[in-house]
């Protein structure tokens, strides 16, 4: 019997070893510095851990958002998911995991301004005042449509990195960035002389999700299960604060003039009623 038990244990061990880890391929942002990557990978590992899934995370080659979205829709895609801001169109194209990874802070925007222009927005008190200035954004970001729908002037770039030099060349006046990403971007580009505006806070309701291929319901379910468990046991909140509490404290969002915009791109399925999923200054 001892020999039979040994054989049974060996077979179980071999079966366990033969189960390949779930491969999750993600795109790199087409820039040398992705301020979101470290947090997103930590969230992916948390979701895998909480769902009891052995995951292997693998970076694909760099690509812009629009290319990553197209790639994820192809049958022979080279990526399994991406993280990006939601919109009606993106939720038609891909399968969203509707857990706001930044707790909605992707829609709380602080402005970068060019060298020597720290007082540029000091007198802005409402949307009418802000319309006197031009914003810069990536051409394939949903924010472009949101800002323009509010009557704001927006200039775009097909690539991310040139936006910082365009800002300093005064091709546009300010560069609205999410509260949770602006500090890293400032530190990466501060040698160019840019500054963080201390006066205004632009807000529109939106969410940043993991998106998977339309037919990959298994991956979407695993991520949703893991993230929901992390929310329930507090580990999601702890990870969020580990990465962002210091930045939010330093930005002093509660002392800024809030400029509120609507979001015509926001899907009706956005879980705005679940207050535990959202942050508010």
């Amino acid at each position: 019997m001892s020999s039979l038990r040994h054989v049974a244990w060996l077979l179980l061990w071999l079966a366990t070893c033969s189960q390949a880890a779930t491969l999750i391929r993600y795109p790199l942002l087409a820039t040398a510095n992705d301020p979101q990557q470290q947090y997103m990978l930590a969230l992916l590992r948390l979701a895998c851990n909480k769902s009891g899934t052995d995951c292997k995370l693998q970076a694909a080659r760099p690509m812009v958002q629009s290319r990553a979205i197209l790639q994820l829709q192809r049958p022979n895609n080279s990526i399994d998911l991406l993280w990006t801001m939601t919109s009606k169109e993106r939720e038609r194209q891909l399968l969203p995991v509707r857990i706001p990874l930044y707790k909605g802070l992707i829609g709380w925007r602080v402005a970068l301004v060019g060298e020597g222009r720290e007082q540029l927005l000091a007198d802005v008190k409402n949307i009418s005042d802000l319309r006197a200035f031009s914003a810069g954004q990536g051409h394939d970001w949903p924010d472009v449509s949101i800002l323009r729908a509010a009557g704001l002037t927006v200039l775009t770039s097909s690539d991310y990195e040139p936006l910082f030099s365009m800002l300093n060349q005064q091709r546009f006046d300010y560069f609205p960035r999410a509260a949770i990403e602006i500090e890293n971007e400032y530190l990466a580009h501060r040698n160019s002389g840019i500054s963080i505006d201390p006066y205004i806070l632009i807000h529109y309701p939106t969410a940043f999700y993991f998106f998977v291929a339309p037919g990959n319901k298994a991956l979407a379910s695993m991520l949703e299960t893991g993230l929901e468990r992390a929310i329930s046991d507090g580990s999601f909140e702890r990870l969020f604060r580990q990465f962002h509490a210091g930045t939010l404290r330093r930005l002093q969002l509660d002392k800024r003039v809030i400029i509120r915009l609507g979001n015509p791109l926001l899907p009706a399925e956005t879980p705005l009623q679940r207050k535990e999923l959202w942050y508010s200054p």
Side-chain angles (χ1 to χ4, degrees), residues 6-8 40 45 55 79 86 92 95-96 110 119 124 139 141 150 152-153 181 183 198 221-223 231 242 251 279:
H6 177 74
V7 170
M40 290 300 160
R45 294 187 186 98
C55 296
I79 58 175
T86 194
R92 284 193 296 266
L95 184 58
V110 175
Q119 300 300 310
V124 171
H139 80 285
W141 300 351
L152 298 173
T153 300
E181 62 191 357
E183 195 169 65
S221 178
M222 183 275 285
L223 292 171
I231 291 166
Q242 174 189 332
L251 288 173
Y279 178 93

Side-chain angles (χ1 to χ4, degrees), residues 133-144:
F133 303 95
S134 58
Q137 295 283 275
H139 80 285
D140 55 356
W141 300 351
D143 314 84
V144 175

